[in-house]
Structure formats: structure tokens, C-alpha cells
Amino acid sequence: VGSEMCIRDRYCEGVTSSLLDRELLRKKAEVLSALQRSDPTGDPDNYRALQESLVHLERDRRELREE
């Protein structure tokens, strides 16, 4: 019974991790699209904020994979 719980726990963690990774990828694609449409000279603050969002999303994905 204990090994079944361990297998089930690993499976659940894998599914959850995969879902979180997909959500982070979706958000990253949205931010990247917005970044490509933005004007770095016309609105540098927004451009910088989008870049920072990308960095944070990628950091979150990296941390998720390390778990």
C-alpha cells in the first residue's frame, strides 16, 4: 500500500507540474507577443516591464523543473 501511495504521489506531482509548466508557457507566449508589438522608444517603461515579466516567467519555469 505504501509503494502505491508513492507511485500515485509521483504521478500527481508530474501531472500538476506539467499543467503548471503549460500555463507558464502560455503566459510567456502572451507576454512575448505583447513585447513584440510594443515600442521600446515610445513606451520604455512598458517595454521594460514586459521584459521583466518574461524573466520572471522563465525563472518560475526553471524552478518548477528543478523540483
Side-chain angles (χ1 to χ4, degrees):
V1 175
S3 64
E4 289 179 20
M5 288 286 287
C6 185
I7 292 170
R8 188 177 321 128
D9 289 348
R10 284 192 308 231
Y11 174 77
C12 291
E13 287 174 3
V15 170
T16 303
S17 179
S18 177
L19 290 172
L20 291 172
D21 187 57
R22 288 181 190 189
E23 178 64 11
L24 289 170
L25 273 175
R26 184 190 64 75
K27 288 180 180 180
K28 182 181 173 182
E30 286 180 5
V31 172
L32 187 56
S33 178
L35 184 65
Q36 291 171 340
R37 292 189 311 269
S38 68
D39 181 12
T41 57
D43 191 358
D45 292 335
N46 182 53
Y47 192 81
R48 186 172 26 263
L50 290 169
Q51 285 180 320
E52 289 175 6
S53 292
L54 278 176
V55 169
H56 292 290
L57 287 167
E58 191 55 40
R59 183 199 63 217
D60 292 346
R61 283 190 70 220
R62 216 174 303 118
E63 288 175 0
L64 181 64
R65 289 183 192 160
E66 290 174 359
E67 291 178 356

